[in-house]
Amino acid sequence: MTLALRPSVLCPVARICAGVVAVLCLCATVRTGLAERPVALAFGGLIALGELTRRPTAEVRETAPLGAAGALSYALLGDHAGQPTHHGVAQAVTVVLAATLLGSVPHVARGEGSTRDHLARRVLTVAFAAACFQPMFNQGALAGWSGSAYALLLLTLLALATLCDTLLTAICAHRRTGWPFGPLLREEVRGMAGITSAVCATGAVMALAVAVVGLWALPVFSVPLLLAQLSHRRYAAVRATYRQTIASLARATEIAGYTPAGHARRVAALAVAVGRDLGLSGPELKVLEYAALMHDIGQLSLVDPVPAGATACLPAAEQRRIALLGGAVVRRTGAGCEVAVVVERQADPCGEQPPAARIVRAVNAYEEKARDAGPGGRRAALEELRRAPAGDYAPEVVESLARVLSRQEPAGHGGQDRRRRARGGLTRPGAG
């Protein structure tokens, strides 16, 4: 019973439910035929267009806002130009399914994103919204609703459907990545304040406008959402360029011969994984990544390079001096005060450090001790962190590092063996 409630188990259950709902709705629609075909084709075209413009990116929660708004609007459509519609739940799901599949063809061909999870979420969300609205409308239960009360009802149903989609997104991300479910869900909920709120508002306005003026409302109210999507894409492009700039600055120590090639990149990747395992999300992870990339930049101020760039073996006073020099450099790069603080305090006793600095310190030490060793040496590096004097490395960070390394083991190891290694710290890092 407990296993059935685990988020990692709920993801395949959601896919199966979405498949069953899609098949049942498709069969029902084929048997009865399409009602109001022009309306169905117009909304189907809008959804397909939204899916065609979808671009998977980590910076935006909803990658196909126009498709989502069109799908939810069709699920909550009551009247068309003053006349009641009769498409019902089955047709709403079928039209959304067909249009989403059609618009996803180019993305599938290019191998972009997880189309299967995206489709399952879309089907279940639309089915939920339509099941809440269409039966009440077709039975006349909403005949006395008008004006602000009717609009509030649509917004409430849209908010509930969006929460359903948010939960499904977090469940699928938890199964795909293995990251803790709670922080993933919180990150998804925080993301609703951005483009998701625009999707809800546009979906409600579309349904209300089509009920009054007809299908001409679709292109009119699609333009603002398309512009918002374009703005989010530009924002994502700026963030990607900024990250590349930070990564280029971090490579300065490698080019100058102060640190081994790829060291900053490996520390950053592992630090972000540990941060996610410990519950960090959103801006906290971004600060952690940038600080991990630039954690060794203070070595550029040294006259004589540290052998192999291994600062973890230096005396504490020298480590703090290099960290302070690095923080001063970071402050001049425009990377942000938060990043500079993490770089400056990475050599402090762990009890005085912010969480990100604790992670950078432990991950950097592990990478320095394990990078040139075989499997046994890597295991010994983790054990060395565990046996370090109190105040050197935060125990919770070291144990999180063990869990992350256990998840990164090659697929050939058995599940029980991986769990045993995670408990005992007998882990191997992933490639790179």
Side-chain angles (χ1 to χ4, degrees), residues 124-167:
L124 291 177
T125 302
V126 169
F128 173 79
C132 291
F133 177 81
Q134 292 295 333
M136 290 193 300
F137 180 84
N138 293 330
Q139 294 170 8
L142 302 179
W145 292 61
S146 61
S148 58
Y150 187 75
L152 183 60
L153 172 65
L154 294 186
L155 287 173
T156 301
L157 293 178
L158 282 168
L160 292 175
T162 303
L163 285 173
C164 173
D165 180 65
T166 299
L167 180 62

Coordinates of all heavy atoms in Angstrom, one line a residue, residues 124-167:
L124 N -4.7 14.3 -19.3 CA -5.4 14.2 -18.0 C -5.9 15.6 -17.5 O -6.9 15.7 -16.9 CB -4.4 13.6 -17.0 CG -4.0 12.2 -17.1 CD1 -2.9 11.7 -16.1 CD2 -5.2 11.3 -17.0
T125 N -5.1 16.6 -17.8 CA -5.5 18.0 -17.3 C -6.8 18.4 -18.1 O -7.7 18.9 -17.4 CB -4.4 19.0 -17.6 OG1 -3.2 18.6 -16.9 CG2 -4.8 20.4 -17.1
V126 N -6.8 18.2 -19.4 CA -8.0 18.6 -20.2 C -9.2 17.7 -19.7 O -10.3 18.2 -19.6 CB -7.7 18.4 -21.7 CG1 -9.0 18.5 -22.5 CG2 -6.7 19.5 -22.1
A127 N -9.0 16.4 -19.5 CA -10.1 15.5 -19.1 C -10.6 16.0 -17.8 O -11.9 16.0 -17.6 CB -9.6 14.1 -19.0
F128 N -9.8 16.4 -16.8 CA -10.2 16.9 -15.5 C -11.1 18.1 -15.7 O -12.2 18.3 -15.1 CB -9.0 17.1 -14.6 CG -9.4 17.8 -13.3 CD1 -9.9 17.1 -12.3 CD2 -9.2 19.2 -13.2 CE1 -10.2 17.7 -11.1 CE2 -9.5 19.8 -12.0 CZ -10.0 19.1 -10.9
A129 N -10.5 19.1 -16.5 CA -11.3 20.4 -16.6 C -12.6 20.2 -17.3 O -13.6 20.7 -16.9 CB -10.4 21.4 -17.4
A130 N -12.6 19.4 -18.4 CA -13.8 19.1 -19.1 C -14.9 18.3 -18.3 O -16.1 18.6 -18.4 CB -13.5 18.4 -20.4
A131 N -14.4 17.4 -17.5 CA -15.3 16.6 -16.7 C -15.9 17.4 -15.6 O -17.1 17.2 -15.2 CB -14.5 15.4 -16.1
C132 N -15.2 18.5 -15.1 CA -15.8 19.4 -14.1 C -16.8 20.3 -14.7 O -17.8 20.7 -14.0 CB -14.7 20.2 -13.5 SG -13.6 19.2 -12.4
F133 N -16.6 20.7 -16.0 CA -17.5 21.8 -16.6 C -18.6 21.2 -17.6 O -19.7 21.7 -17.4 CB -16.6 22.7 -17.4 CG -17.3 23.8 -18.1 CD1 -17.8 24.9 -17.4 CD2 -17.6 23.7 -19.4 CE1 -18.5 26.0 -18.0 CE2 -18.3 24.7 -20.1 CZ -18.8 25.9 -19.4
Q134 N -18.2 20.4 -18.5 CA -19.1 20.1 -19.6 C -20.4 19.4 -19.1 O -21.5 19.8 -19.6 CB -18.4 19.1 -20.6 CG -17.3 19.8 -21.4 CD -17.8 20.9 -22.3 OE1 -19.0 20.9 -22.7 NE2 -17.0 21.9 -22.5
P135 N -20.4 18.4 -18.2 CA -21.7 17.8 -17.7 C -22.6 18.9 -17.1 O -23.8 18.9 -17.3 CB -21.2 16.8 -16.7 CG -19.8 16.4 -17.1 CD -19.2 17.7 -17.6
M136 N -22.0 19.8 -16.3 CA -22.9 20.8 -15.7 C -23.5 21.8 -16.7 O -24.7 22.1 -16.7 CB -22.1 21.7 -14.7 CG -21.6 21.0 -13.4 SD -21.0 22.1 -12.2 CE -19.6 22.8 -13.0
F137 N -22.7 22.1 -17.7 CA -23.2 23.0 -18.8 C -24.2 22.3 -19.6 O -25.3 22.9 -19.9 CB -22.0 23.5 -19.7 CG -22.5 24.4 -20.8 CD1 -22.6 25.8 -20.5 CD2 -22.7 23.9 -22.0 CE1 -23.0 26.6 -21.5 CE2 -23.1 24.8 -23.0 CZ -23.3 26.1 -22.8
N138 N -24.0 21.1 -20.1 CA -24.9 20.4 -20.9 C -26.2 20.1 -20.2 O -27.3 19.9 -20.9 CB -24.3 19.1 -21.5 CG -23.1 19.4 -22.4 OD1 -23.1 20.4 -23.1 ND2 -22.1 18.5 -22.5
Q139 N -26.2 19.9 -18.9 CA -27.4 19.7 -18.1 C -28.2 20.9 -17.7 O -29.2 20.8 -17.0 CB -27.1 18.8 -16.9 CG -26.6 17.4 -17.2 CD -26.0 16.7 -16.0 OE1 -26.2 17.2 -14.9 NE2 -25.4 15.6 -16.3
G140 N -27.6 22.1 -18.1 CA -28.3 23.3 -17.8 C -28.1 23.8 -16.4 O -28.7 24.8 -16.0
A141 N -27.1 23.2 -15.7 CA -26.9 23.7 -14.3 C -26.3 25.1 -14.2 O -26.3 25.7 -13.2 CB -26.0 22.7 -13.6
L142 N -25.7 25.5 -15.3 CA -25.0 26.8 -15.3 C -25.9 27.9 -16.1 O -25.4 29.0 -16.4 CB -23.7 26.7 -16.0 CG -22.7 25.7 -15.4 CD1 -21.4 25.7 -16.2 CD2 -22.4 26.1 -13.9
A143 N -27.1 27.6 -16.3 CA -28.0 28.5 -17.1 C -28.2 29.8 -16.4 O -28.3 30.9 -17.0 CB -29.4 27.8 -17.3
G144 N -28.2 29.8 -15.1 CA -28.4 31.0 -14.3 C -27.1 31.8 -14.0 O -27.1 32.8 -13.4
W145 N -26.0 31.2 -14.4 CA -24.7 31.9 -14.1 C -24.3 32.8 -15.3 O -24.4 32.6 -16.4 CB -23.6 30.8 -14.1 CG -23.7 29.9 -12.9 CD1 -24.7 29.1 -12.6 CD2 -22.8 29.7 -11.8 NE1 -24.5 28.4 -11.5 CE2 -23.3 28.7 -11.0 CE3 -21.5 30.3 -11.5 CZ2 -22.6 28.3 -9.8 CZ3 -20.8 29.8 -10.4 CH2 -21.4 28.9 -9.6
S146 N -23.9 34.0 -14.9 CA -23.5 35.0 -15.9 C -22.6 36.0 -15.3 O -22.4 36.1 -14.0 CB -24.8 35.8 -16.4 OG -25.4 36.4 -15.4
G147 N -21.9 36.8 -16.1 CA -21.1 37.9 -15.7 C -19.9 37.4 -14.8 O -19.2 36.4 -15.2
S148 N -19.6 38.1 -13.7 CA -18.5 37.8 -12.9 C -18.5 36.4 -12.3 O -17.5 35.8 -12.1 CB -18.3 38.9 -11.8 OG -19.5 38.9 -11.0
A149 N -19.7 35.9 -11.9 CA -19.8 34.6 -11.3 C -19.4 33.5 -12.3 O -18.6 32.6 -11.9 CB -21.3 34.4 -10.9
Y150 N -19.8 33.6 -13.6 CA -19.4 32.7 -14.6 C -17.9 32.7 -14.8 O -17.2 31.7 -14.9 CB -20.2 32.9 -15.9 CG -20.0 31.8 -16.9 CD1 -20.6 30.6 -16.8 CD2 -19.2 32.1 -18.0 CE1 -20.5 29.6 -17.8 CE2 -19.0 31.1 -19.0 CZ -19.7 29.9 -18.9 OH -19.5 29.0 -19.9
A151 N -17.4 33.9 -14.9 CA -15.9 34.1 -15.1 C -15.1 33.5 -14.0 O -14.1 32.9 -14.1 CB -15.6 35.5 -15.4
L152 N -15.6 33.8 -12.7 CA -14.9 33.2 -11.6 C -14.9 31.7 -11.5 O -14.0 31.1 -11.2 CB -15.6 33.8 -10.3 CG -14.9 33.4 -9.0 CD1 -13.5 33.9 -8.9 CD2 -15.7 33.9 -7.8
L153 N -16.1 31.1 -12.0 CA -16.1 29.7 -12.1 C -15.1 29.1 -13.0 O -14.4 28.1 -12.7 CB -17.5 29.2 -12.5 CG -17.7 27.7 -12.8 CD1 -17.5 26.9 -11.6 CD2 -19.0 27.5 -13.5
L154 N -14.9 29.8 -14.2 CA -13.9 29.3 -15.2 C -12.5 29.4 -14.6 O -11.7 28.5 -14.8 CB -14.1 30.1 -16.5 CG -15.3 29.9 -17.3 CD1 -15.2 30.7 -18.6 CD2 -15.6 28.5 -17.6
L155 N -12.2 30.5 -14.0 CA -10.9 30.7 -13.4 C -10.6 29.7 -12.3 O -9.5 29.2 -12.2 CB -10.8 32.2 -12.9 CG -10.7 33.3 -13.9 CD1 -10.7 34.6 -13.2 CD2 -9.4 33.1 -14.7
T156 N -11.6 29.4 -11.5 CA -11.4 28.4 -10.5 C -11.1 27.0 -11.1 O -10.2 26.3 -10.6 CB -12.7 28.3 -9.6 OG1 -13.0 29.6 -9.0 CG2 -12.5 27.3 -8.5
L157 N -11.9 26.6 -12.1 CA -11.6 25.3 -12.7 C -10.3 25.3 -13.4 O -9.6 24.3 -13.4 CB -12.7 25.0 -13.7 CG -14.1 24.8 -13.2 CD1 -15.1 24.6 -14.3 CD2 -14.1 23.6 -12.2
L158 N -9.9 26.4 -14.0 CA -8.6 26.5 -14.6 C -7.4 26.4 -13.6 O -6.4 25.7 -13.8 CB -8.4 27.8 -15.4 CG -9.1 27.9 -16.8 CD1 -9.2 29.4 -17.2 CD2 -8.4 27.0 -17.8
A159 N -7.6 27.0 -12.5 CA -6.6 26.9 -11.4 C -6.5 25.5 -10.9 O -5.4 25.0 -10.7 CB -7.0 27.9 -10.2
L160 N -7.6 24.8 -10.7 CA -7.6 23.4 -10.3 C -6.9 22.5 -11.3 O -6.1 21.6 -11.0 CB -9.0 22.9 -10.0 CG -9.7 23.6 -8.8 CD1 -11.1 23.1 -8.7 CD2 -8.9 23.3 -7.5
A161 N -7.2 22.8 -12.6 CA -6.6 22.0 -13.6 C -5.1 22.2 -13.7 O -4.3 21.3 -13.9 CB -7.3 22.3 -15.0
T162 N -4.7 23.5 -13.5 CA -3.3 23.8 -13.5 C -2.6 23.2 -12.3 O -1.4 22.7 -12.5 CB -3.1 25.3 -13.5 OG1 -3.8 25.9 -14.6 CG2 -1.6 25.7 -13.6
L163 N -3.2 23.1 -11.2 CA -2.6 22.4 -10.0 C -2.4 21.0 -10.3 O -1.4 20.3 -9.9 CB -3.5 22.7 -8.8 CG -3.4 24.0 -8.1 CD1 -4.4 24.2 -7.0 CD2 -2.0 24.3 -7.6
C164 N -3.4 20.4 -11.0 CA -3.3 19.0 -11.4 C -2.1 18.8 -12.3 O -1.3 17.8 -12.1 CB -4.6 18.6 -12.1 SG -4.6 16.9 -12.8
D165 N -2.0 19.7 -13.3 CA -0.8 19.6 -14.2 C 0.5 19.8 -13.5 O 1.5 19.1 -13.8 CB -1.0 20.6 -15.3 CG 0.2 20.6 -16.3 OD1 0.3 19.6 -17.0 OD2 0.9 21.6 -16.3
T166 N 0.5 20.7 -12.5 CA 1.7 20.9 -11.7 C 2.1 19.7 -10.9 O 3.3 19.3 -10.9 CB 1.5 22.1 -10.8 OG1 1.2 23.3 -11.5 CG2 2.7 22.3 -9.9
L167 N 1.2 19.0 -10.3 CA 1.4 17.8 -9.6 C 2.0 16.7 -10.5 O 3.0 16.0 -10.2 CB 0.2 17.3 -8.9 CG 0.3 16.0 -8.0 CD1 1.3 16.2 -6.9 CD2 -1.1 15.6 -7.5

